[in-house]
Amino acid sequence: MSMNLRCTVCHKPYVGPQNHFVCTHCGASVESPVDLRRDPEGLRRVIREGSADGIWGYRDFFCVAPDAEPVTMGEGNTPLLRAKRLAERYGMTELYLKNETLNPSGTYKDRFATVAMTLAREDGIRQVAIGSAGNAAAAVAAYAAKAGMECYIMLPPGAVKERAWQNMAYGGHFIYGMGGVNDCVQMAEDGEKIFGWKNMCTTMMNNPLACDGYKTIAYEIARSMRFEAPDYVVCPVGGGIIVSKIYKGYEEMLELGLIDRLPKMIAVQAAGCAPLVKAYDEGKTATEKWENGDTIAFAIFDPVTFEGVTALHTVRSSGGRAVAVTDDELLAAMRECARLEAVLPEPASAATVAAAAKLHAEGYIKPEDRVVCVLTGSGLRDLKLYAKENDDTPQVRPGDMDSLRRAVEHYRKQGD
C-alpha cells in the first residue's frame, strides 16, 4: 500500500491505522494523490485518448503496481446520454444521464471492485467480506467470483431480496445482519481479525486506494462532453464518496489543463434519511447519525455518512448544494426516466433526476445550464416499483378482435 496518504480536506499526511483511514486532525477521508507533475503530457494523453479497456486504460491514475494483472470484466465506458425528452418534460435544455447501470453487476461500484480485487489479489488475499445495502455487495461478490475468492456478504433485513439473490448467484455467502447498514459494515470490519478476510467496504475509510476507480466517471464524462465541464453534476449520496471522487477527477483534469473550470457538485439524499443535507443546511462540517430513517431508496439508506466531512467540503468548495427529495418525487422521476429515455434507474439513482427537476423548478438550476445526473445503479432489481397501483391490464380471447380492439382503445384513452 502506498504510504503517500494525505487528508482530502486539510491535506496533512496521514499517520494512523491501516484498516480504518480517517484524518486524525479534521475527521475527513484520506487519499493517495497522483503526482500530476511527473508526466503531465503523458497523463493528458491518457485522458484525451480514453480507454478501450474499461477503466484500466486510466491505471496511471491508480495506486496499483504496473505489472499487476487487473481483475476486470470490462467495467467503465458507460454512455453519457442526452436526455432530450426528459429535459423537455422538466423545462430544461441540456440534461444528461451518465448511465452506470450498464456496468457488469449493474452499478458504479464495479469501478471500485475491480481495483480493490486487483490490489487484494496482489496482496495474496483469498477471502473478502462486505457489509452493504446491496449495490456494493453485488459488485464485490461479482469480482470476488472473477478472482476466485471466497466472499461473505452481510445485508440488513430491509434489503431488497433481489439484491441478495444476485449476490448468492455469484457464489457469495449471504448473511442477514440484524440492524442497519452501518452495523453490517462494522461487522465486516470487526471480522478481519477473527476470520482473516479482507474488509471490502467501498469507502475511503476502509479502502482509500481502490476508491480511485470512481474518478474515471469524471474522465469519461469529460471526454463525452469534449472537455467542456457541465454546470452541475448531480450525485446520489449514501456513504458520500461518489460526489467527492468525481470532483477529484475534475480537479485533476483542471490541473492538467484539460478543462478550464470545475462543475458545481449537487449531493442528493432521500428526505427520509438525509444526514448530509441536514449538516449542510445547518452549516456544519460533519454529519451526525440519522435516527429512525425510512425510504425506498435503499442504496442510499445510510444513517451514517462515512465520508461526510469530505463530501460536505466538496459540495461547498465547488459552489454546489445538498438537497433532499421525497420518495414520491424520486419514484416519479424513476418512472419518467424509464418512460421517456428507456433507462431503468433504481430509486437512489432516480433521486438525481428528481433533484435536478426540483432545483430547476426552484430557479437554482437555469434552463440553459448543462446538468449531468449520475445514475449509479440498475432498477432491474426494483421492477415492482415501476408498476402502477391498481393497474387494470386488459385481456383478450384467442381470435376475438373485438376484445383486442377494446384493449387497444384502453391504452389509447390513457394516451389522451
Side-chain angles (χ1 to χ4, degrees):
M1 174 173 288
S2 170
M3 298 304 292
N4 183 30
L5 293 170
R6 73 179 187 188
C7 178
T8 57
V9 175
C10 71
H11 305 301
K12 293 180 180 178
Y14 174 75
V15 178
Q18 296 297 295
N19 67 338
H20 193 88
F21 300 88
V22 177
C23 177
T24 56
H25 301 283
C26 70
S29 309
V30 301
E31 63 186 356
S32 183
V34 178
D35 183 2
L36 300 178
R37 296 169 296 181
R38 175 176 50 83
D39 181 16
E41 185 50 44
L43 294 174
R44 281 192 285 268
R45 184 169 58 253
V46 165
I47 295 180
R48 283 197 195 103
E49 293 179 357
S51 172
D53 301 315
I55 76 167
W56 284 97
Y58 302 106
R59 69 184 299 158
D60 289 344
F61 292 87
F62 308 154
C63 291
V64 177
D67 59 346
E69 181 184 354
V71 179
T72 179
M73 292 189 286
E75 57 291 320
N77 283 338
T78 59
L80 182 70
L81 307 174
R82 179 81 180 269
K84 293 183 178 180
R85 297 185 69 203
L86 200 59
E88 183 179 352
R89 165 71 177 81
Y90 296 128
M92 304 171 71
T93 303
E94 292 197 61
L95 179 64
Y96 298 83
L97 308 176
K98 180 60 172 168
N99 189 7
E100 289 292 286
T101 74
L102 297 180
N103 279 303
S105 80
T107 168
Y108 82 109
K109 296 285 187 177
D110 290 355
R111 296 177 187 264
F112 165 93
T114 181
V115 181
M117 216 61 68
T118 300
L119 290 168
R121 189 166 65 179
E122 286 294 296
D123 288 340
I125 301 296
R126 300 301 304 161
Q127 291 184 329
V128 297
I130 185 169
S132 166
N135 280 341
V140 168
Y143 284 81
K146 183 68 175 176
M149 295 184 190
E150 196 169 13
C151 182
Y152 291 86
I153 297 154
M154 281 161 277
L155 303 184
V160 178
K161 61 183 178 181
E162 286 81 0
R163 298 178 190 272
W165 293 343
Q166 182 183 7
N167 299 333
M168 290 186 284
Y170 295 130
H173 303 315
F174 174 61
I175 301 168
Y176 265 134
M178 307 310 292
V181 174
N182 51 302
D183 298 306
C184 293
V185 170
Q186 189 63 51
M187 289 286 283
E189 183 176 318
D190 292 343
E192 283 189 308
K193 291 182 180 179
I194 301 172
F195 304 107
W197 61 43
K198 168 67 177 173
N199 175 21
M200 282 291 176
C201 182
T202 60
T203 68
M204 287 189 278
M205 179 180 69
N206 294 103
N207 292 289
L209 301 186
C211 290
D212 284 340
Y214 296 130
K215 296 188 300 183
T216 58
I217 295 174
Y219 309 151
E220 292 176 10
I221 294 173
R223 290 191 70 249
S224 296
M225 302 187 84
R226 301 182 184 277
F227 295 99
E228 293 183 10
D231 296 289
Y232 297 97
V233 177
V234 191
C235 301
V237 168
I241 190 170
I242 185 173
V243 69
S244 304
K245 278 302 183 181
I246 289 180
Y247 192 63
K248 181 66 177 180
Y250 273 106
E251 287 183 315
E252 290 174 343
M253 289 187 287
L254 181 68
E255 188 172 342
L256 288 169
L258 290 168
I259 56 176
D260 58 11
R261 64 183 178 88
L262 296 169
K264 297 180 177 67
M265 303 301 295
I266 305 296
V268 187
Q269 293 190 301
C273 185
L276 187 86
V277 177
K278 182 176 184 291
Y280 175 85
D281 289 342
E282 294 176 353
K284 295 180 178 178
T285 59
T287 57
E288 298 175 353
K289 183 178 180 180
W290 189 275
E291 301 292 347
N292 303 316
D294 183 32
T295 176
I296 62 171
F298 203 75
I300 52 173
F301 191 1
D302 290 76
V304 177
T305 310
F306 300 112
E307 318 290 348
V309 174
T310 298
L312 284 167
H313 175 77
T314 296
V315 169
R316 290 186 174 122
S317 62
S318 74
R321 285 270 300 274
V323 61
V325 294
T326 67
D327 280 4
D328 285 344
E329 288 171 328
L330 65 84
L331 188 57
M334 183 178 173
R335 291 170 175 168
E336 291 288 75
C337 197
R339 184 176 68 88
L340 298 176
E341 300 297 340
V343 176
L344 297 173
E346 66 181 1
S349 296
T352 63
V353 176
K358 184 174 186 174
L359 292 174
H360 174 261
E362 293 175 357
Y364 178 78
I365 292 177
K366 302 297 187 289
E368 67 276 9
D369 286 338
R370 305 176 85 196
V371 181
V372 174
C373 293
V374 182
L375 304 184
T376 49
S378 172
L380 288 175
R381 295 160 296 199
D382 303 281
L383 289 177
K384 62 185 178 182
L385 296 176
Y386 285 96
K388 296 180 181 179
E389 292 185 10
N390 302 318
D391 188 17
D392 184 17
T393 304
Q395 299 179 3
V396 298
R397 294 182 296 275
D400 186 346
M401 299 308 294
D402 287 336
S403 65
L404 180 58
R405 187 176 293 106
R406 288 192 295 272
V408 172
E409 189 64 26
H410 168 83
Y411 287 110
R412 285 181 173 173
K413 288 180 179 178
Q414 287 185 357
D416 295 339

